[in-house]
Amino acid sequence: GQQVQQSPSSLVLQEGENAELQCNFSSTATQLQWFYQSPGGSLVSLLSNPSGTKHTGRLTSTTVTKERRSSLHISSSQTTDSGTYLCAIDREGNTRKLIFGLGTTLQVQP
Amino acid sequence: EAAVTQSPRNKVAVTGGKVTLSCNQTNNHNNMYWYRQDTGHGLRLIHYSYGAGSTEKGDIPDGYKASRPSQENFSLILELATPSQTSVYFCASGDHWGSQNTLYFGAGTRLSVL
């Protein structure tokens, strides 16, 4: 089964609202990354957060490694935040291989 | 700025034909990757490489070959393309996995096999 599960699968917000995205994984991970995929398809890394809490701009990620879960909080959402957010972990023992979740598709309405 | 360039961006191939997808990175990264992305499956790893001359099988390597002739270039080869290989393919590069490192993706190649 899918080793990285993300929820919700989709989310619709009004501009200015906050978003909370969840990532649960079934295997031990030494690395965890959040990626953003634009509606046009391009992928960029948002942040790497294997444990603890990390902030960048309006994004906050909290990872609880022993509970195998991570969250991504987007504050004061903007229409340009619309797209798909992907969570990825490395496979135990092979930090060069990433497993991706199916993503959360976020739509921010004006 | 880190850059990963894929070519072609779009490709239509016939069943049984040979397809080569090319990827070039200017990041001087050791590791390069080929993923495909399909609805319901997400991004899946096909092949990856630790450096020039090396290729490793990912999770779904059947029907694909890879070639890493240099640090900068990593190709994905479909010797006998099938309709099931219709997908969007992404190349990525990255270095030693650490909290400060990340993957840089190309813009993707949309392949249709008819």
Side-chain angles (χ1 to χ4, degrees):
Chain A
Q2 188 71 23
Q3 293 178 273
V4 180
Q5 295 185 324
Q6 293 187 243
S7 61
S9 57
S10 63
L11 186 60
V12 180
L13 298 176
Q14 295 297 314
E15 196 166 28
E17 292 182 325
N18 299 329
E20 187 84 12
L21 284 55
Q22 303 292 335
C23 176
N24 291 277
F25 40 97
S26 57
S27 58
T28 303
T30 58
Q31 296 293 335
L32 183 138
Q33 284 217 347
W34 285 93
F35 290 83
Y36 168 75
Q37 186 167 30
S38 70
S42 61
L43 282 148
V44 294
S45 176
L46 294 173
L47 48 73
S48 173
N49 187 29
S51 66
T53 298
K54 198 164 183 177
H55 303 275
T56 180
R58 293 182 292 106
L59 304 178
T60 300
S61 173
T62 299
T63 299
V64 184
T65 310
K66 63 180 180 181
E67 294 183 14
R68 298 181 180 175
R69 59 179 174 87
S70 180
S71 65
L72 181 68
H73 180 88
I74 306 171
S75 63
S76 303
S77 62
Q78 302 172 0
T79 56
T80 51
D81 294 332
S82 297
T84 301
Y85 292 80
L86 300 171
C87 172
I89 63 169
D90 65 321
R91 201 168 269 137
E92 183 179 12
N94 190 333
T95 57
R96 292 186 174 98
K97 293 174 66 174
L98 284 185
I99 309 168
F100 284 80
L102 296 182
T104 294
T105 299
L106 174 65
Q107 183 181 354
V108 182
Q109 296 177 338
Chain B
E1 184 174 313
V4 179
T5 305
Q6 292 183 230
S7 62
R9 292 293 316 280
N10 293 281
K11 173 75 177 178
V12 178
V14 295
T15 298
K18 181 177 181 178
V19 177
T20 300
L21 307 183
S22 300
C23 179
N24 175 273
Q25 55 110 349
T26 59
N27 308 321
N28 198 32
H29 287 155
N30 289 322
N31 306 323
M32 295 187 74
Y33 308 81
W34 276 107
Y35 288 88
R36 63 177 284 177
Q37 188 175 36
D38 305 282
T39 303
H41 290 282
L43 279 159
R44 293 180 289 172
L45 182 63
I46 306 170
H47 284 289
Y48 60 105
S49 167
Y50 293 137
S54 91
T55 60
E56 305 286 339
K57 293 181 179 180
D59 298 318
I60 52 164
D62 293 346
Y64 302 94
K65 288 184 179 179
S67 173
R68 181 87 181 270
S70 64
Q71 179 83 341
E72 298 78 19
N73 296 296
F74 190 39
S75 298
L76 186 68
I77 303 150
L78 292 65
E79 295 277 5
L80 294 169
T82 68
S84 64
Q85 293 174 313
T86 293
S87 186
V88 180
Y89 292 84
F90 288 96
C91 175
S93 74
D95 219 322
H96 298 295
W97 204 245
S99 62
Q100 300 303 314
N101 293 331
T102 189
L103 284 188
Y104 294 88
F105 281 87
T109 294
R110 188 172 296 274
L111 173 65
S112 295
V113 182
L114 307 177

